[in-house]
């Protein structure tokens, strides 16, 4: 690597344009791969940087035509662009392929040895390209498989029992019929549209059909990308199964246990490898993954490697929510045509015959019907929010791109309120009042457990959500403000890190303690005869799952010293809140126009609340920027999925 390039990359790192990992990759390639073309090394560093921001590839057309959209409009970025433009830009692809670091997609193969792959106008890290190609091919194979239902099978009797009061066009009923027929289905919809209800009825339908035909019960697994999302699905699914209007032996064949995707695949220590893969596949007939918007491409590829080709795969999620923290936007790529339907006449006629639905508005000529659209269904009616007022109305305006022109939120009251920052500090008042009502030290353990359970419930009724972690408008600043407020009221004594009332969130899965990333616990005094003063601080969690990954009842009281990976959680990022639901939520936006501010972030925060949202929108210009800017991740997956039936 030339001295000039070393200095340029160092300046880009200091400016925040590149990470140390990105500059280290360029340096490693220069030393070990023998490349002496500075432009190629810059593109390698930028590709790595884009991957770190969630993009699967570096879009070379965008880089050359609008580099400011990639953040290259600062001093270091402009210098890097001058280096790239030192030779004619049209020669870049040839220089990439001549460098020995890049393979053309047509020549690469899934086991290509080059660290980068050039596919069309996209430059990929080899692993990302391999995963994208694998996911597209595996899903294509599933979608091309023939119907799983016997010819002439009539679903109407079972569907009628599962949907006794269905509307003329009931999208939940349609989703069940569609997923019963095929090996791959995506069910998308906003909060309250009934995704969980739909999948429970779908599993009832599948088991009823299988058992009625004399088969063995289907082997079904339920999973979610995070521990928090798995716990939420676990809480809601058991009751839904018990209410199914099916025979007891059918309901008994429907699982209610939910695991994380990583645990299902059998994560091996701190590696990227899993116990289950193509050589040791999952023994499943049906896999359901909830909150699939959080599913990154690498994890999706691992799922498809491990899932037998004859098994059904069903993805559930809200396509409008934030994409995964890691690279890729799998659900968004798969659902980019969901609103339009796009069903082929033959499929629309079959669905109409089975469900009574009129799909004429969502049907296209057979020559225009994309294969992917035949496997996606969008639930369209929210049972949680009224689309004409409050949270539901504002959420719809966000989806339709109409919220940027708002000059206030009075029209959405009382569900949506604009408040100042100080109002946030009183949001936990009911929680702190309940903390003061601890049982007597001599009370029975059941009394202490009942009180702790009530405290956990009170805390989970409200949460402050932030767009960023650092700064006064971020998680760090809001957590510090909440603690300072309670110290002023005399509820927190001293300045020790651990105190009665401190809420904490687990930030790393700990299978030894059966704690998942995202689990929330509350620090409480608990009688302990062996402790000085007869009391000891412990952190109480709902039991969640046991050591075998099964649901566990009750509470768990753990010493703070056993919890190395936790952080205070009066405030949390919107990303961390995905998969959660609160009675009330507050959203704090920064005053600066940061890249993280997008329509998806505001929508995700808004829809975490069941009844009320408090907005601290910073400057109105920041709000308008956020709700007018969509998060777009550079990916080739959607293009690879555009097969015509």
């Amino acid at each position: 690597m030339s001295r000039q390039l070393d200095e340029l990359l160092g300046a880009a790192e200091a400016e925040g344009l590149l990470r140390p990992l990105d500059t280290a990759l360029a340096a490693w390639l220069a030393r070990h791969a023998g490349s002496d073309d500075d432009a190629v090394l810059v593109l390698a560093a930028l590709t790595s940087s884009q991957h770190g921001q969630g993009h699967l590839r570096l879009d070379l057309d965008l880089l050359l035509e609008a580099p400011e959209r990639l953040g290259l409009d600062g001093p270091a970025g402009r210098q890097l662009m001058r280096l790239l433009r030192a030779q004619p830009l049209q020669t870049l692809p040839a220089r990439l392929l001549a460098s020995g670091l890049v393979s053309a997609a047509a020549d690469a193969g899934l086991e290509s040895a080059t660290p980068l792959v050039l596919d069309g106008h996209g430059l990929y890290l080899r692993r990302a390209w391999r995963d994208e190609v694998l996911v597209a091919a595996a899903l294509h194979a599933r979608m091309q498989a023939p119907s799983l239902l016997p010819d002439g099978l009539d679903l109407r009797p079972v569907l009628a029992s599962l949907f006794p009061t269905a509307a003329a066009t009931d999208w939940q009923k349609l989703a069940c019929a569609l997923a019963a027929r095929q090996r791959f289905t995506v069910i998308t919809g906003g909060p309250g549209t009934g995704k969980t209800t739909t999948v429970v009825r779908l599993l009832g339908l599948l088991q009823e059909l299988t058992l009625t035909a004399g088969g063995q019960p289907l082997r079904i697994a339920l999973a979610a990308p995070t521990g928090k999302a798995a716990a939420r699905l676990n809480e809601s699914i058991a009751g839904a199964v018990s209410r199914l209007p099916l025979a007891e032996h059918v309901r008994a064949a429907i699982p209610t246990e939910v695991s994380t995707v990583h645990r299902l695949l059998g994560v091996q220590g701190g590696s990227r490898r899993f116990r289950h893969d193509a050589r040791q596949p999952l023994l499943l007939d049906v896999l359901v993954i909830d909150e699939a918007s959080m599913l990154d491409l690498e994890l999706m590829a691992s799922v498809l490697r491990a899932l037998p080709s004859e098994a059904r795969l069903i993805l559930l999620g809200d396509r409008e929510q934030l994409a995964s923290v890691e690279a890729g936007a799998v659900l968004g790529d798969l659902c980019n045509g969901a609103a339009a339907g796009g069903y082929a006449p033959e499929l629309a006629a079959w669905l109409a015959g089975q469900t009574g639905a009129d799909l004429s508005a969502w049907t296209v000529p057979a020559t225009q019907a994309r294969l992917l659209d035949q496997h996606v269904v969008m639930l369209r009616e929210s049972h949680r929010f009224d689309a004409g007022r409050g949270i539901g109305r504002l959420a719809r305006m966000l989806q339709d791109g109409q919220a940027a022109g708002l000059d206030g939120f009075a029209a959405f009251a009382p569900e949506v309120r604009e408040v100042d920052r100080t109002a946030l500090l009183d949001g936990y008042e009911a929680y702190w009042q309940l903390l003061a009502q601890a049982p007597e030290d001599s009370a029975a353990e059941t009394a202490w457990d009942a009180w702790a359970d009530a405290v956990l419930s009170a805390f989970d009724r409200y949460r402050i959500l932030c767009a960023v972690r650092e700064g006064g408008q971020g998680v760090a600043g809001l957590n510090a403000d909440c603690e300072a407020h309670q110290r002023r009221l005399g509820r927190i004594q001293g300045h020790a890190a651990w105190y009665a009332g401190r809420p904490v969130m687990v930030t790393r899965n700990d299978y030894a303690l059966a704690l998942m990333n995202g689990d929330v616990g509350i620090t409480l005094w608990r009688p302990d005869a062996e402790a000085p003063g007869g009391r000891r601080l412990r952190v109480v969690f709902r039991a969640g799952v046991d050591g075998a990954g099964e649901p566990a009842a009750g509470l768990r009281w753990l010493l703070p010293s056993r919890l190395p990976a936790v952080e205070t959680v009066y405030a949390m990022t919107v990303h961390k809140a995905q998969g959660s639901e609160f009675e009330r939520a507050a959203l704090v936006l920064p005053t600066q126009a940061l890249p993280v501010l997008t329509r998806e972030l505001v929508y995700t925060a808004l829809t975490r609340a069941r009844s009320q949202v408090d907005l601290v929108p910073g400057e109105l210009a920041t709000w308008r920027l956020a709700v007018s800017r969509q998060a777009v991740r550079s990916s080739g997956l959607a293009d690879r999925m555009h097969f015509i039936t």
Side-chain angles (χ1 to χ4, degrees):
M1 182 188 297
S2 69
R3 181 175 178 179
Q4 177 194 17
L5 179 59
D6 187 47
E7 292 175 351
L8 281 178
L9 294 179
E13 186 180 322
E15 196 174 284
L17 177 60
L18 298 176
R19 303 168 297 169
L21 176 65
D22 308 326
T23 56
L25 172 65
W28 187 91
L29 292 174
R31 287 196 306 270
H32 298 281
S35 176
D36 57 359
D37 189 329
D38 284 355
V40 172
L41 297 174
V42 166
L43 292 173
L46 290 174
T47 302
S48 176
S49 173
Q50 286 287 286
H51 192 270
Q53 296 173 50
H55 303 284
L56 293 177
R57 62 186 180 182
L58 173 65
D59 187 326
L60 295 179
D61 288 348
L62 188 63
L63 173 72
L64 302 179
E65 296 169 8
E68 68 281 357
R69 290 174 57 185
L70 300 179
L72 293 167
D73 49 351
R78 290 194 293 271
Q79 290 185 62
L80 291 177
M81 289 306 301
R82 279 196 290 272
L83 185 150
L84 293 176
R85 290 180 170 128
Q87 295 188 39
L89 293 177
Q90 60 267 31
T91 67
L92 275 180
R95 291 165 64 189
L96 284 167
L97 296 175
S99 68
L101 303 180
V102 183
S103 299
D107 305 323
L110 292 183
E111 302 305 321
S112 166
T114 60
L116 298 115
V117 174
L118 181 64
D119 194 337
H121 62 271
L123 184 60
Y124 292 77
L125 297 178
R126 176 170 55 90
R127 187 179 70 245
W129 177 82
R130 179 199 62 199
D131 287 343
E132 186 178 278
V133 171
L134 184 149
V135 167
L139 293 181
H140 187 217
R142 286 178 183 278
M143 292 188 294
Q144 285 187 311
S147 172
L148 295 175
L149 299 178
D151 290 341
L153 179 65
D154 189 357
L155 302 181
R156 288 178 295 176
V158 185
L159 287 174
S161 67
L162 291 169
F163 297 90
T165 59
T169 301
D170 187 312
W171 291 98
Q172 294 184 22
K173 189 176 182 180
L174 278 162
C176 288
L178 192 65
R181 170 188 169 104
Q182 52 202 22
R183 298 189 193 278
F184 173 62
T185 307
V186 181
I187 302 174
T188 186
T193 52
K195 294 185 292 295
T196 302
T197 301
T198 301
V199 81
V200 169
R201 292 177 180 178
L202 168 61
L203 298 181
L205 171 66
L206 295 178
Q207 290 291 32
E208 172 76 14
L209 294 174
T210 301
L211 296 174
T212 300
Q216 292 296 311
L218 296 170
R219 298 166 297 177
I220 300 171
L222 306 171
T226 68
K228 186 68 174 179
R232 252 197 85 205
L233 180 61
N234 192 80
E235 290 168 4
S236 61
I237 203 165
V241 170
S242 68
R243 293 189 296 271
L244 284 177
L246 298 172
E248 173 58 33
H249 73 285
V250 178
R251 293 199 301 270
I254 302 172
T256 57
E257 302 85 14
V258 185
S259 73
T260 64
V261 177
H262 286 83
R263 193 174 187 87
L264 176 74
L265 295 175
V267 65
Q268 295 184 324
S271 73
R272 309 175 82 101
R273 294 189 299 274
F274 296 100
R275 184 171 66 254
H276 291 290
D277 55 19
R279 292 168 296 182
Q280 189 175 350
L282 295 162
L283 300 178
L284 293 176
D285 301 305
V286 182
L287 173 59
V288 176
I289 301 180
D290 193 21
E291 296 289 355
S293 62
M294 293 188 276
L295 198 64
D296 63 83
L297 183 80
E298 184 177 8
L299 190 56
M300 183 67 178
S302 297
V303 167
L304 289 168
R305 288 189 188 96
L307 189 65
S309 59
E310 64 273 13
R312 284 182 176 88
L313 173 62
I314 300 158
L315 302 182
L316 303 174
D318 185 350
R319 68 191 183 103
E320 302 286 351
Q321 285 192 32
L322 287 166
S324 58
V325 174
E326 302 298 331
V330 174
L331 189 71
D333 285 340
L334 296 177
C335 294
N336 64 0
Y343 300 119
E346 181 183 357
L347 177 61
W350 182 85
L351 288 169
Q354 298 292 342
T355 69
D358 178 5
L359 290 176
S360 56
W362 292 277
T363 303
V364 298
T367 55
Q368 299 174 20
R370 297 189 311 161
L371 182 58
L372 175 60
D373 293 336
Q374 317 312 302
H375 296 259
V376 179
V377 61
M378 180 176 172
L379 307 182
R380 299 165 191 268
E381 182 182 355
S382 176
H383 304 282
R384 184 186 308 169
F385 301 128
D386 183 342
R389 64 183 184 86
I391 296 172
R393 181 182 171 200
L394 184 53
R396 175 57 63 189
M397 290 182 71
L398 285 166
Q399 290 174 311
D400 295 342
Q402 299 175 352
L406 293 174
D407 56 6
F409 303 95
F412 308 97
E415 292 181 19
V416 181
R417 309 183 305 170
E418 184 174 354
V419 301
D420 61 28
R421 184 188 180 93
T422 58
L424 306 180
L425 305 181
D426 295 325
Y428 290 110
E429 185 61 24
Y431 160 73
W432 280 97
Q433 289 181 7
L434 187 58
L435 280 170
Q437 300 172 23
E440 297 291 332
D441 285 2
S442 58
E445 286 194 12
T446 53
W448 280 91
D449 283 350
W451 170 68
D453 186 71
V455 168
L456 283 164
S457 296
F459 182 75
D460 271 343
R461 282 195 283 272
Y462 176 73
R463 199 62 45 86
I464 300 171
L465 307 178
C466 302
V468 295
R469 290 190 56 83
E470 305 302 328
Q473 287 83 33
V475 170
L478 268 298
N479 277 327
D481 280 0
C482 287
E483 288 185 336
H485 179 63
Q486 298 305 326
R487 284 194 171 93
R488 286 193 296 270
L489 296 176
R491 290 167 171 164
I492 300 176
Q493 304 297 322
H495 294 275
W498 289 99
Y499 55 85
R502 182 191 178 194
V504 295
M505 181 172 61
V506 177
T507 58
R508 184 176 68 239
N509 291 346
D510 189 326
Y511 294 109
L513 293 177
L515 293 176
M516 299 292 107
N517 185 0
D519 285 351
V520 171
I522 305 295
T523 312
L524 301 172
W525 286 113
R526 176 80 185 238
D528 188 334
E530 298 180 2
R535 304 173 105 201
R536 192 188 302 272
L537 282 176
R538 292 183 183 268
V539 186
V540 62
F541 293 88
R542 289 207 167 86
V545 296
D546 62 21
E550 301 296 322
L555 302 175
R556 303 177 65 226
W557 297 78
L558 301 173
L559 290 171
S561 59
R562 298 187 67 190
L563 305 171
V566 295
E567 60 185 26
T568 303
V569 70
Y570 298 103
M572 63 196 301
T573 62
V574 178
H575 271 97
K576 281 286 189 181
Q578 267 188 281
S580 298
E581 185 178 288
F582 313 103
E583 190 66 31
R584 292 175 53 213
L587 171 62
V588 182
L589 295 181
T591 56
Q592 304 98 327
L594 301 175
V596 71
L597 294 176
T598 63
R599 182 189 305 176
E600 290 79 6
L601 180 134
V602 176
Y603 172 87
T604 301
L606 187 74
T607 55
R608 295 312 87 205
R610 289 189 295 269
S611 63
Q612 189 175 83
V613 175
D614 291 342
L615 293 176
V616 185
E619 298 177 359
L620 197 56
T622 307
W623 162 269
R624 288 174 176 156
L625 171 68
V627 300
S628 62
R629 183 166 61 187
Q630 285 188 277
V632 178
R633 290 193 167 180
S634 186
S635 161
L637 182 60
D639 291 337
R640 297 183 199 278
M641 301 299 295
H642 283 187
F643 305 104
I644 300 295
T645 59

